[in-house]
Amino acid sequence: MNADTSSGVERFDAVVIGAGVSGLYQLYRLRELGLEVRVYERGGGVGGTWYWNRYPGARFDSESYSYAYSFSDELLEEWEWSEHFAAQPETLRYLEFVADKFELRRDIRFDMTMTGAHWQEAAREWEIFFADGSRVYARFLITAIGGFATPTLPAIEGRDSYAGEAYHTAQWPHRPVDFAGKRVAVIGTGATGVQVIQEVAKTAATLSVFQRQPNWCAPLLNRPITPEEQRRIKAGYKQIFALCNETFAGFMHQSDRRNAVEVSAEEREALFEKLYGEPGFGIWMANFRDVMIDARANALLSDFIARKIRSRVNDPAIAEKLIPTNHGFGTRRVPLETNYYEVYNQPNVRLVDLRETPILRMTPSGIVTTAGAFDFDLIVFATGFDAVTGGYSRLDLRGAGGRRLVDKWAEGPRTFLGLLHEGFPNLVTLVGPHNAATFCNMPRCIEQNVEWVTRLLARLRAQGRTRIEPTPAAEDEWTAHVLDGAARMLLTKVDSWFNGVNRNVAGRDLRRFQLYANGLPTYRRRCEEVAAQDYAGTVIA
Ligand code: NAP
């Protein structure tokens, strides 16, 4: 298996799509294995999500040092994070540093958008197509496109007639955008909207936040890393990664073994208060273990957070609009914030509650709601993504017998380990649907994904095998395992991208669980069992 350019066509052992956190690491590992690998990346540089999401305020919700790659001691020693939760420019610099250090760029082609791939059974390879009309062939096709490859604009009548400046947060310009003195609108109040609102409010003449549903936000409490902390972080990397690998979603926050409904009110309040005062996702991930599964426990936590919101927003009527009433804390992705609620105490900021006054249309000068017309100089669309499966829906991916992946997933994703696909031999989806990496401190799960896939490819190569495909029974069993695990979670009872709901995209109004909610330790154990049984559940040929 070697790159073959003799006939003018390029052939690889593996083609990886995407040069973000997962694509870069997969390239490093497969090259180490001696395979001919090529990465194709849609953007003009490495970084994936950190390349695209350049909006002001973009930063980690993971502790920086828990997000770092763990595979190279040298890299851990060389790189220094400046803040506990680094901002996007620093994370992008980090990924560029990784690409340079390991000389990854020579095997990456930028500005190459994959449009589809067709499995060629006779040759046992994928024929891969690009937007520029070119094609290459690869024995293995590894998608490393992440869960947020497809930004979605709001489906609002007249949207494209708007004549002012307008940007989706995931398609942000590569130059500074100035808000000073401008009338700015932000549509969307998810994790992205919350981050961008905090920044825009600092300089905009006026900021109007168009909120369809509020989310439960909690303090990030970011600060610079002191030299003493830097020393402790470097000395403690092993323990940091060990802790992450034991937790449900790969963060440095282990859930409390007690149940909120079984402890005294004082004990409960004490833990809520402690976690609210600590940086990062502790309030979500280190809380009582029943808050994500028992509606009574969740209501107690939601009530605590609601009181916090009321205490931070001066106008009681605005505070109530910012408190979710249709879902409990943590059942949608929790945005972490820095003075987000205090923004609504500023005289230049206005909250437009779209449940009271829905948007009717957009015009060349702004937005019309049932309360009237509002003119803007600049509109920020923080309206999210066709998450997880959306990146695949837009690809013409055809497996054995010309079967299309979109058809296979028409009723919801079906996979084996969120990585392999019956009917689609030699297709590997890193961070694919029903993969632990969809609900994770990404690099922790990505390293697991990549290392598992690398061992699989090494095994196939050692035995001269060229084809792997999971059995329908193994896929049924995995899908049942994913859905059973999800059924107990409150987050499956709520509309969000977790469940594939995005009303800006036709056909995405039904809930189809896209994540993996059995936790990283269970996921890793399942993957290890499969490998230990010589890839039981697959047919290798
Ligand atoms: P999102 O969570 O899907 O939020 C989209 C927002 O836009 C929601 O508030 C939604 O309202 C609103 N919206 C969509 N269409 C609309 C319309 N037609 N009219 C009015 N409002 C509309 O997307 P996101 O905030 O970009 O976050 C996506 C994910 O990216 C996050 O959950 C997180 O996993 C990741 N992320 C991570 C970080 C980080 O790690 N630091 C930062 C940002 C994002 P509804 O709620 O009513 O639908």
Side-chain angles (χ1 to χ4, degrees):
M1 302 202 287
N2 272 315
D4 163 17
T5 48
S6 56
S7 50
V9 239
E10 290 194 287
R11 288 207 139 73
F12 299 94
D13 296 324
V15 156
V16 178
I17 304 298
V21 176
S22 55
L24 292 177
Y25 186 42
Q26 188 68 81
L27 168 60
Y28 171 84
R29 281 291 177 210
L30 293 185
R31 210 159 70 178
E32 191 180 56
L33 213 59
L35 299 193
E36 292 289 341
V37 196
R38 171 70 61 75
V39 176
Y40 290 94
E41 164 58 51
R42 184 175 52 162
V46 300
T49 204
W50 300 104
Y51 173 88
W52 295 104
N53 288 273
R54 296 165 183 256
Y55 60 87
R59 70 169 61 245
F60 282 149
D61 284 340
S62 311
E63 287 73 6
S64 309
Y65 29 90
S66 79
Y67 193 95
Y69 287 117
S70 73
F71 68 86
S72 161
D73 289 343
E74 219 178 84
L75 174 62
L76 289 170
E77 190 49 43
E78 283 172 17
W79 183 262
E80 300 209 333
W81 297 101
S82 69
E83 294 179 282
H84 285 270
F85 301 88
Q88 174 271 337
E90 184 168 341
T91 309
L92 184 56
R93 275 201 305 280
Y94 169 72
L95 293 169
E96 287 170 344
F97 179 81
V98 171
D100 291 338
K101 178 174 173 62
F102 299 106
E103 296 176 21
L104 299 176
R105 288 177 213 266
R106 69 178 144 90
D107 291 316
I108 307 175
R109 297 294 173 272
F110 295 102
D111 301 306
M112 289 291 287
T113 302
M114 176 197 179
T115 53
H118 298 172
W119 173 248
Q120 306 295 345
E121 187 63 60
R124 290 191 173 177
E125 64 185 7
W126 283 96
E127 182 176 18
I128 304 160
F129 307 96
F130 297 91
D132 68 357
S134 62
R135 68 186 63 193
V136 299
Y137 296 85
R139 174 122 302 144
F140 292 93
L141 172 60
I142 302 177
T143 55
I145 62 176
F148 302 113
T150 314
T152 48
L153 289 165
I156 300 172
E157 187 193 318
R159 187 192 67 217
D160 296 336
S161 72
Y162 176 68
E165 271 183 277
Y167 310 108
H168 190 288
T169 45
Q171 291 162 333
W172 201 260
H174 288 214
R175 53 170 172 78
V177 173
D178 189 12
F179 303 103
K182 291 183 185 160
R183 298 163 301 169
V184 181
V186 174
I187 303 181
T189 51
T192 302
V194 165
Q195 289 186 332
V196 85
I197 287 162
Q198 294 162 180
E199 280 306 305
V200 175
K202 290 177 184 167
T203 55
T206 63
L207 167 61
S208 302
V209 175
F210 289 81
Q211 172 189 270
R212 194 164 60 181
Q213 294 177 73
N215 282 298
W216 295 101
C217 312
L220 176 67
L221 300 173
N222 182 36
R223 60 184 173 77
I225 294 174
T226 65
E228 172 50 27
E229 285 173 334
Q230 195 72 259
R231 273 192 296 280
R232 266 191 278 132
I233 288 164
K234 287 199 174 175
Y237 265 126
K238 275 205 168 47
Q239 290 90 314
I240 292 172
F241 297 131
L243 169 62
C244 291
N245 283 334
E246 282 167 19
T247 63
F248 187 81
F251 292 96
M252 294 175 60
H253 306 282
Q254 185 63 283
S255 79
D256 194 291
R257 303 310 294 161
R258 295 170 294 169
N259 283 326
V261 294
E262 285 166 4
V263 299
S264 69
E266 293 72 36
E267 225 178 311
R268 198 163 50 228
E269 198 76 2
L271 181 66
F272 289 166
E273 200 59 73
K274 172 176 169 291
L275 295 175
Y276 197 80
E278 288 176 354
F281 271 140
I283 189 77
W284 196 15
M285 301 290 169
N287 223 306
F288 295 105
R289 65 181 196 163
D290 54 350
V291 297
M292 293 300 290
I293 35 186
D294 181 335
R296 293 169 306 156
N298 187 273
L300 293 165
L301 175 57
S302 301
D303 173 65
F304 171 86
I305 305 286
R307 281 184 272 133
K308 288 290 181 195
I309 297 171
R310 288 186 191 109
S311 76
R312 292 173 57 184
V313 179
N314 296 344
D315 181 333
I318 294 177
E320 290 315 310
K321 291 182 208 267
L322 291 165
I323 296 172
T325 51
N326 65 350
H327 69 281
F329 182 89
T331 60
R332 305 173 98 208
R333 207 292 204 163
V334 175
L336 293 184
E337 46 85 24
T338 306
N339 294 327
Y340 174 65
Y341 290 108
E342 287 74 11
V343 158
Y344 296 97
N345 299 333
Q346 291 181 207
N348 64 331
V349 177
R350 183 180 44 162
L351 179 65
V352 182
D353 187 338
L354 298 178
R355 293 166 300 184
E356 289 173 0
T357 56
I359 295 177
L360 295 175
R361 63 188 164 276
M362 287 178 66
T363 64
S365 59
I367 298 172
V368 181
T369 72
T370 53
F374 306 94
D375 289 349
F376 297 107
D377 303 308
L378 196 160
I379 297 180
V380 177
F381 297 116
T383 44
F385 305 84
D386 187 2
V388 187
T389 48
Y392 294 94
S393 322
R394 282 151 186 80
L395 294 175
D396 177 22
L397 268 174
R398 298 189 207 177
R403 183 172 168 215
R404 287 152 35 101
L405 192 66
V406 277
D407 294 335
K408 175 178 161 113
W409 289 353
E411 305 296 318
R414 305 184 54 73
T415 76
F416 182 51
L417 308 175
L419 285 166
L420 300 176
H421 307 276
E422 180 267 322
F424 295 79
N426 296 6
L427 170 67
V428 179
T429 53
L430 301 173
V431 196
H434 291 180
N435 179 318
T438 50
F439 188 73
C440 195
N441 183 15
M442 301 301 289
R444 303 285 60 82
C445 288
I446 283 171
E447 286 189 337
Q448 184 279 344
N449 270 206
V450 165
E451 286 159 17
W452 192 89
V453 168
T454 305
R455 265 192 296 153
L456 168 65
L457 265 57
R459 186 272 191 212
L460 296 178
R461 189 173 204 233
Q463 300 184 355
R465 304 302 179 93
T466 52
R467 190 185 194 282
I468 180 164
E469 184 185 349
T471 64
E475 211 168 63
D476 285 349
E477 199 272 331
W478 182 257
T479 306
H481 164 67
V482 171
L483 299 182
D484 286 352
R488 70 198 162 98
M489 306 287 287
L490 296 171
L491 55 80
T492 52
K493 326 249 176 318
V494 174
D495 286 352
S496 78
W497 68 261
F498 291 176
N499 296 306
V501 175
N502 181 331
R503 295 212 158 71
N504 299 310
V505 182
R508 287 264 193 268
D509 49 354
L510 291 179
R511 289 183 201 156
R512 297 183 179 107
F513 189 64
Q514 311 204 96
L515 312 186
Y516 178 83
N518 292 301
L520 173 56
T522 302
Y523 181 79
R524 189 186 311 101
R525 183 174 51 74
R526 288 285 198 128
C527 289
E528 287 308 315
E529 282 167 7
V530 168
Q533 294 161 29
D534 200 20
Y535 302 96
T538 71
V539 176
I540 291 176

